[in-house]
Amino acid sequence: MSTENEGNEGNAVPSAPSVPSVPPVPAAAPEGTPQGGPPAPEVPPAAPADAPTSQVPGATHHDGAGGAHHDGATPAAAHEQHPYAPPSPQQPPAGSAGWPPPPPAVPSYADGGSPAWGAPVPSDPEPPRKRRASGLVAAVAVAALVAGGVGGALGYWAADSNDSGSSSGSTTVAASNSPKDFKREAGTVAGVAASALPSVVTIDAQSGDGEGGTGTGFVYDKEGHILTNNHVVASAADSGQLTATFSNGKKYDAEVVGRAQGYDVAVLKLKNAPDGLTPLALGDSDKVAVGDSTIAIGAPFGLSNTVTTGIISAKARPVASGDGSSNKNSYMSALQTDASINPGNSGGPLLDAGGAVIGINSAIQSTSGGGVGQSQAGSIGLGFAIPVNQAKNVAEQLIRTGQPVYPVIGATVTMEEKTGGAVISEEGAGGTPAVTPDGPAADAGLKAGDVITKFNDTVVESGPTLIGEIWTHKPGDKVTLTYKRDGKTATAELTLGERKGDS
């Protein structure tokens, strides 16, 4: 764990104009008659202009090639087994401007495809004995094509019109509104970002020896207090320079009001703070659910005003993190998020979908470095934030007194992992008793060697887990501990004590 400075199916139906105003397009006659076929029938006279549609002769031949090109289906008449020579083409009327005539403005093709002008008819059209019945069927089909084929016909006409137009350049379609006119609603990521960014600052911390780093913070109140991580400002807290730069580019000097190394929380105060500061609204981290949307704002790798999104991927994740400059760790029962968190995001706000702060981005899981706080690797989708409820309590204490106050149980536990719980040590720091005399744990009957397995309803897996859970509470809170001693399970109720300052 590290922190960061962090066709239509079926056979196509042949079409024919219901009452043609110009001669139909002739089909080119084949060069010879198929062997064994009957002689070609006489060509019937052309229908008068006012002839009913159902009596139009040759309707099944006008569009003979159209059906086979649509989806491989063939007209029903093509399945007959008695081929015959096709009729001779009709002759154009006197005064005709040319032959064949141009296609109609809106061809009645069901498939809207390109017309097959002069295409040959099939070699096996319907025998004469079927002509009357087929003519009736075709007439009905024409009516259907007029009703259902308009879309395809118009589609072809539109395409043909575009093709015949000017080709001097491309045609584009403009949106009705330009981007500057778009309204970003408050609940959208863009809306949340637009509202929150003016209240987020990039912190530059320079120590006395010239070393330093970049982190993030946000406006906590109208008095100019900035909330951030302790490890962001630790190098410049005692002797150095701190500046806070807003998203509009304005920069202000800042000073440390108080910091809590154990919580990894710090409060700064802007010098000559401007009027009209807008604090970010604080949410309720206790009500956050796994799967909730998250928005992180910060300066990853120094890239200020960067917005990333994700979800809450876990809650109450025990995390121990360090600032990389000392052997002291911070402990938290963290909100885990897959929003991209990188070095420089530390101290920045983790927002919910409504724009309220639910956590302070503080640590990332790293695949390199091998130690807590020792790596500067980028995001792998595991970021951790201090719950804002805890951070608020710490910030208020730091603003009031300048020093942190920690809740304690009055017992020293080992920091070993995979111990099945938090084991009370045999001895405390510097040879002191592991269980503080007259402290909360001692009054509840706990002893060295006891293994604490639950804190209220939360399973405790190790010492860091226990500390992280304790520090989500306040001194004076009553809690229940479940522990094991000599293979037996027992419970103890106690009232949390307090410890002032970092030791």
Side-chain angles (χ1 to χ4, degrees), residues 4-365:
E4 61 285 9
N5 254 3
E6 304 177 58
N8 284 320
E9 177 176 299
N11 301 328
V13 183
S15 62
S18 57
V19 181
S21 57
V22 296
V25 178
E31 296 180 358
T33 303
Q35 293 181 357
E42 294 182 5
V43 178
D50 58 351
T53 302
S54 60
Q55 299 302 318
V56 176
T60 58
H61 304 301
H62 170 69
D63 197 26
H69 293 320
H70 192 51
D71 62 351
T74 53
H79 294 290
E80 296 295 337
Q81 301 300 316
H82 305 287
Y84 70 100
S88 301
Q90 294 177 339
Q91 299 299 319
S96 174
W99 195 262
V106 183
S108 54
Y109 289 94
D111 60 357
S114 300
W117 302 107
V121 297
S123 61
D124 54 347
E126 182 184 348
R129 61 184 178 87
K130 294 286 187 176
R131 184 178 301 152
R132 175 175 292 275
S134 297
L136 290 173
V137 172
V140 176
V142 168
L145 288 174
V146 172
V150 174
L154 291 178
Y156 166 77
W157 177 84
D160 183 67
S161 297
N162 287 336
D163 289 341
S164 62
S166 174
S167 59
S168 59
S170 63
T171 300
T172 60
V173 179
S176 58
N177 295 314
S178 62
K180 66 181 181 180
D181 298 324
F182 290 169
K183 181 180 179 181
R184 272 73 179 184
E185 299 297 336
T188 64
V189 173
V192 170
S195 177
L197 275 168
S199 300
V200 178
V201 298
T202 299
I203 298 173
D204 183 43
Q206 297 294 330
S207 65
D209 58 8
E211 295 183 358
T214 300
T216 308
F218 61 92
V219 177
Y220 181 73
D221 58 26
K222 294 183 178 181
E223 285 69 43
H225 289 108
I226 303 295
L227 193 55
T228 186
N229 282 143
N230 172 65
H231 75 260
V232 170
V233 304
S235 63
D238 298 326
S239 61
Q241 184 178 10
L242 290 166
T243 60
T245 304
F246 285 81
S247 60
N248 61 5
K250 294 184 178 181
K251 181 182 295 187
Y252 299 87
D253 290 333
E255 60 186 356
V256 176
V257 172
R259 58 196 185 98
Q261 180 272 326
Y263 291 119
D264 197 16
V265 173
V267 176
L268 307 182
K269 178 73 179 293
L270 298 178
K271 298 178 181 180
N272 301 317
D275 295 330
L277 288 175
T278 304
L280 290 182
L282 305 183
D284 186 347
S285 53
D286 290 340
K287 294 182 179 179
V288 171
V290 173
D292 281 351
S293 297
T294 58
I295 302 169
I297 303 180
F301 300 104
L303 301 174
S304 301
N305 311 316
T306 295
V307 178
T308 57
T309 64
I311 63 169
I312 294 292
S313 52
K315 293 178 61 178
R317 185 72 77 194
V319 174
S321 63
D323 60 15
S325 61
S326 69
N327 293 324
K328 294 181 179 180
N329 289 334
S330 302
Y331 300 93
M332 68 184 91
S333 181
L335 297 176
Q336 178 179 303
T337 180
D338 66 350
S340 183
I341 306 295
N342 288 286
N345 274 106
S346 283
L350 184 68
L351 310 173
D352 63 16
V357 181
I358 55 176
I360 301 177
N361 299 316
S362 182
I364 60 174
Q365 178 68 48

